[in-house]
Amino acid sequence: MGQTTAAEHDYEVAVVGGGPAGTSAGIFCAREGLETVVFDRGRASLARCAHLENYPGFPDGIDVQTLYDLFHDHAERAGCTLVPDTVESLRRPETGDGFVVALGDGAPVTARRVVAATRYDGSYMRGLGDDDAMFETTEHDGETTESFDRSYPNHDGTTPVPDLYVASPSEESQQAITAAGRGARVAREVITDTRVDDGWWDAVADTVDWVRREAELDGEWTDRGTWVGWFDEHYGEDAPVDVDSERFERVRAARVDERLSSYIGPDEREARATAGQARLAGHLDPEAVVAGCDEGDLLDAMDDDRIAAYLDGAEVSAGGE
């Protein structure tokens, strides 16, 4: 956790595409602390859907624009920079690693790693590797077309081109929910590779982005020393570095910090639940919210304490304090 961008790059991760796969990848990378940019011109294939009816969590479906707005709000909340521009091409810099990202309107930027997440067009990746392997040619009714070969990336999104990952196009990008899962899967590989570059090793570099209940930390597991012992027992014997080295101690401290910080107490859980529902409500049509609640639910929600708290907040705001 807490990675930062190397000084020689504008971003640690550049995601090309702001649909389900791209925003999912961006959210996971940004939550890791990686400086992440998502390029999206608003042309995601999701926009071709009239009404999304099979995305879990929306029993009556969800209109595409609202879901799209939620994706982008979540990405920005996680720490992503969203840029409404197209990526024209990727190339290697003259010296060093990473990529130079050429944009349709803005000035080029550099990124240490790139995640491709555009369902219909991969032409901007041309020239990075073996184009004959990356693109396939098909003929139909006498016309020849060329498209990105979906079998080119590995299952984890890695490719023969170092530091280039593909979340889409892929077989998993046929539906919004599978595309989002694909983006998360690829992002986890990006995070693992970033950690390895930072001195971690494969056995400890994998991560699960999961917030747990503090109540699950019972007995000795509330003590940091127990986690240190757990790390030594599970990773010390087979570690590729000396257990007394600065590198081992640094990685162990980071991994233990990560595990302990993933647990939150009931007050924090309630605060996050309230904030999450308020954020969601901000994207909904107020009339639809009212129509979706019966009168009893609304009256229960509008108790005297909540009304008083709301009025107090409005008075403070009006007073400019």
Side-chain angles (χ1 to χ4, degrees):
M1 300 292 286
Q3 301 281 351
T4 57
T5 303
E8 64 268 25
H9 300 107
D10 297 315
Y11 298 97
E12 185 67 33
V13 180
V15 181
V16 186
T23 51
S24 180
I27 288 165
F28 272 73
C29 288
R31 282 175 56 82
E32 171 67 11
L34 302 178
E35 192 73 24
T36 303
V37 60
V38 177
F39 295 104
D40 178 57
R41 197 59 179 268
R43 299 173 182 171
S45 60
L46 183 63
R48 300 188 177 191
C49 178
H51 190 75
L52 193 61
E53 297 183 320
N54 57 6
Y55 204 94
F58 303 98
D60 257 351
I62 181 74
D63 66 282
V64 171
Q65 189 57 55
T66 297
L67 186 64
Y68 204 68
D69 290 344
L70 285 166
F71 284 164
H72 283 195
D73 188 11
H74 194 168
E76 289 186 309
R77 179 70 178 83
C80 294
T81 298
L82 264 60
V83 177
D85 206 344
T86 55
V87 171
E88 297 291 334
S89 65
L90 302 171
R91 64 175 176 82
R92 292 294 194 182
E94 295 181 1
T95 60
D97 51 21
F99 301 88
V100 177
V101 184
L103 303 177
D105 296 327
V109 300
T110 59
R112 176 67 178 83
R113 292 176 168 83
V114 168
V115 176
T118 51
R119 172 149 158 68
Y120 291 116
D121 182 21
S123 62
Y124 56 89
M125 291 182 277
R126 186 176 298 282
L128 288 176
D130 183 354
D131 285 353
D132 289 338
M134 189 180 291
F135 296 89
E136 59 181 352
T137 301
T138 57
E139 292 188 8
H140 182 69
D141 290 339
E143 294 187 3
T144 300
T145 59
E146 193 175 54
S147 59
F148 184 83
D149 187 347
R150 294 180 180 181
S151 66
Y152 181 75
N154 299 316
H155 178 69
D156 59 9
T158 57
T159 71
V161 179
D163 305 319
L164 175 68
Y165 307 78
V166 175
S168 183
S170 72
E171 295 302 325
E172 290 91 343
S173 61
Q174 298 291 334
Q175 298 287 325
I177 186 63
T178 53
R182 171 72 174 176
R185 173 68 183 89
V186 174
R188 288 186 60 186
E189 190 64 29
V190 173
I191 293 168
T192 295
D193 291 347
T194 301
R195 290 181 168 190
V196 169
D197 283 354
D198 192 39
W200 297 48
W201 52 97
D202 288 339
V204 297
D206 194 15
T207 181
V208 177
D209 191 346
W210 183 14
V211 180
R212 300 166 172 84
R213 296 171 183 263
E214 192 177 63
E216 296 177 7
L217 279 177
D218 56 351
E220 60 182 355
W221 291 102
T222 60
D223 179 55
R224 181 182 180 84
T226 301
W227 286 100
V228 171
W230 161 83
F231 185 93
D232 291 347
E233 179 181 351
H234 283 79
Y235 303 112
E237 183 176 349
D238 297 326
V241 297
D242 193 306
V243 296
D244 294 323
S245 66
E246 181 277 335
R247 177 183 171 190
F248 183 89
E249 292 180 356
R250 176 172 59 86
V251 172
R252 178 177 61 190
R255 186 60 187 269
V256 170
D257 286 344
E258 179 182 60
R259 293 301 297 267
L260 286 171
S261 65
S262 68
Y263 292 90
I264 61 174
D267 290 344
E268 179 64 16
R269 282 166 42 205
E270 183 177 356
R272 293 191 187 191
T274 300
Q277 292 185 22
R279 193 103 181 186
L280 174 61
H283 288 271
L284 304 178
D285 181 347
E287 293 185 1
V289 174
V290 172
C293 298
D294 61 39
E295 184 176 339
D297 291 335
L298 288 175
L299 291 176
D300 288 342
M302 297 174 61
D303 59 64
D304 292 341
D305 290 340
R306 293 192 179 190
I307 293 174
Y310 172 80
L311 292 175
D312 287 344
E315 291 175 359
V316 169
S317 176
E321 298 180 8

